[in-house]
């Protein structure tokens, strides 16, 4: 078996729900996520958390994650409204929007901003597999170590 060089990915998870934010961040440390990303040439690096878009913007001043997960509805904030600001500070960051609301069409709002989208699963076990699956989908477009 040929050994591939792995590029380390850093993450920022934005969600006003403390438990959900921690679960998403912790899912990146699960064996399933580590193995799925290793298969396409990536390793998990630092995972930081932000409580809302303003907190995220403050952190982006000195931290440039490769992937940013953002909730859609966070009190008065709508995560997709911050894509341009995030990219202005950290232009190479992949953005993945998320929502647990199945009634609204948030996918198109995120996609209009050039971001990927994932529905938050209803239960913890599905979430732990959905995060690495979405990452693999977003990152698999280029496995050479440089992203699009």
């Amino acid at each position: 078996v040929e050994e591939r060089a792995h590029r380390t990915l850093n993450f920022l998870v934005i969600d006003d729900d403390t438990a959900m934010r921690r679960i998403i961040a912790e899912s990146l440390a699960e064996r399933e996520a580590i193995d799925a990303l290793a298969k396409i040439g990536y390793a998990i690096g630092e995972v930081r958390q932000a409580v809302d878009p303003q907190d995220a913007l403050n952190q982006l001043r000195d931290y440039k994650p490769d992937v940013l997960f953002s909730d859609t509805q966070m009190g008065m904030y709508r995560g997709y409204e911050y894509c341009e600001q995030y990219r202005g500070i950290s232009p190479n960051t992949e953005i993945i929007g998320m929502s647990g609301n199945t009634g609204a069409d948030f996918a198109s709002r995120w996609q209009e901003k050039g971001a990927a989208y994932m529905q938050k699963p209803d239960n913890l076990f599905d979430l732990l597999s959905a995060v690495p699956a979405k990452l693999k989908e977003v990152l698999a477009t280029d496995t050479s170590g440089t992203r699009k």
Side-chain angles (χ1 to χ4, degrees):
V1 176
E2 181 182 323
E3 189 68 30
R4 290 171 76 169
H6 286 75
R7 177 164 180 262
T8 301
L9 297 175
N10 295 313
F11 298 87
L12 180 60
V13 179
I14 311 164
D15 199 317
D16 60 339
D17 180 326
T18 302
M20 183 61 66
R21 188 174 65 245
R22 286 183 180 155
I23 290 166
I24 293 166
E26 289 170 4
S27 74
L28 296 168
E30 293 289 323
R31 174 59 49 200
E32 185 174 350
I34 293 167
D35 290 347
L37 292 178
K39 287 179 184 174
I40 58 169
Y42 294 98
I44 306 290
E46 184 176 4
V47 180
R48 291 191 185 181
Q49 300 177 36
V51 298
D52 61 36
Q54 292 301 319
D55 183 17
L57 290 169
N58 288 334
Q59 290 191 47
L60 288 173
R61 290 188 182 126
D62 63 8
Y63 177 67
K64 305 296 185 246
D66 298 286
V67 180
L68 180 153
F69 282 100
S70 176
D71 188 22
T72 298
Q73 298 179 8
M74 296 172 276
M76 66 182 189
Y77 301 107
R78 297 295 172 261
Y80 51 81
E81 295 174 349
Y82 289 83
C83 287
E84 289 175 19
Q85 290 178 61
Y86 297 149
R87 287 208 175 93
I89 298 170
S90 187
N92 296 319
T93 298
E94 293 286 348
I95 300 172
I96 301 173
M98 307 173 295
S99 178
N101 185 336
T102 57
D105 182 21
F106 291 128
S108 64
R109 294 192 181 179
W110 282 103
Q111 290 162 352
E112 286 168 7
K113 302 291 186 180
Y117 176 79
M118 67 176 271
Q119 182 74 37
K120 287 182 188 173
D122 293 331
N123 66 65
L124 192 57
F125 297 107
D126 288 345
L127 179 66
L128 291 174
S129 62
V131 169
K134 188 62 175 184
L135 270 175
K136 188 174 178 182
E137 175 189 318
V138 169
L139 298 172
T141 55
D142 179 15
T143 59
S144 66
T146 57
R147 292 179 300 124
K148 54 184 172 156

